[in-house]
């Protein structure tokens, strides 16, 4: 396994989290990617007798500790991670795993428990800086300029 695997929490706007995730994962060599929504992680295992349905959390933990058969590594992504019920359980296991893990969050206030757990387990925490109206306008102008479009 590669020693440069990403284990991080990214919190911010959709544009910011997508950009940062792309930057972080660019160093991975064609990872096998799996993603879940945090809302699916707290579903109870439904089962009666021999039939049992695996929950999102079961799938995540299973993928976390198994190697990819056809790729150099796995990239596991949990979206809306601020909604995880027990974030410390996820960050603790992510820190020990030999696969890349990203927790994507859009709400800084709701992400406090996730950030605390991630910090305790040594995961990287990347948070979008708050921007003033002028900074946002400058960012939008830069995007138009990059695209070759004029804006007044």
């Amino acid at each position: 396994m590669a020693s440069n695997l990403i284990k991080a929490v990214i919190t911010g706007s959709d544009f910011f989290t997508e950009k940062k995730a792309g930057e972080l994962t660019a160093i991975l060599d064609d990872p096998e990617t799996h993603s879940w929504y945090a809302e699916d992680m707290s579903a109870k295992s439904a089962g009666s007798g021999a039939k049992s349905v695996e929950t999102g959390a079961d799938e995540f933990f299973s993928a976390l500790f198994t190697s990819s058969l056809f790729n150099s590594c796995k990239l596991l992504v949990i979206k809306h991670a601020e909604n995880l019920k027990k974030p410390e359980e996820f960050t603790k296991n992510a820190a020990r795993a030999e696969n890349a893990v990203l927790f994507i969050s859009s709400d800084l206030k709701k992400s406090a428990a996730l950030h605390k757990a991630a910090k305790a387990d040594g995961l990287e925490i990347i948070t979008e800086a708050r921007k003033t109206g002028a900074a946002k306008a400058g960012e939008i102008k830069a995007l138009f300029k990059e695209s070759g479009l004029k804006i007044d």
Side-chain angles (χ1 to χ4, degrees):
M1 281 294 143
S3 61
N4 59 352
L5 291 177
I6 289 86
K7 294 168 192 295
V9 175
I10 305 173
T11 303
S13 66
D14 289 344
F15 176 77
F16 175 82
T17 57
E18 186 175 313
K19 181 179 174 185
K20 286 297 178 186
E23 290 172 5
L24 289 173
T25 59
I27 64 167
L28 298 176
D29 183 29
D30 188 33
E32 177 184 327
T33 305
H34 300 270
S35 63
W36 295 267
Y37 287 93
E39 294 81 0
D40 298 331
M41 296 295 184
S42 44
K44 300 284 184 215
S45 285
S48 57
K51 284 199 166 200
S52 163
V53 177
E54 204 172 52
T55 67
D58 294 334
E59 291 174 5
F60 173 78
F61 290 122
S62 176
L64 192 60
F65 292 106
T66 57
S67 298
S68 175
L69 292 175
F70 304 107
N71 302 70
S72 61
C73 69
K74 285 185 183 178
L75 169 61
L76 308 176
V77 181
I78 297 181
K79 299 175 183 177
H80 304 168
E82 69 272 16
N83 296 324
L84 287 171
K85 299 293 183 211
K86 295 181 181 177
E88 62 281 351
E89 184 178 331
F90 290 87
T91 59
K92 178 180 70 175
N93 284 292
R96 296 183 307 138
E98 292 191 26
N99 287 306
V101 183
L102 289 178
F103 295 92
I104 307 292
S105 171
S106 60
D107 188 325
L108 184 59
K109 289 179 182 175
K110 289 173 76 179
S111 297
L114 174 63
H115 284 208
K116 181 179 177 182
K119 185 177 180 180
D121 293 318
L123 276 63
E124 183 177 0
I125 300 172
I126 302 166
T127 305
E128 183 175 24
R130 290 189 139 188
K131 295 181 183 135
T132 63
K136 287 179 187 176
E139 201 173 86
I140 291 168
K141 286 179 183 179
L143 288 172
F144 272 85
K145 189 175 182 178
E146 284 177 19
S147 299
L149 301 171
K150 287 187 176 188
I151 186 169
D152 294 327

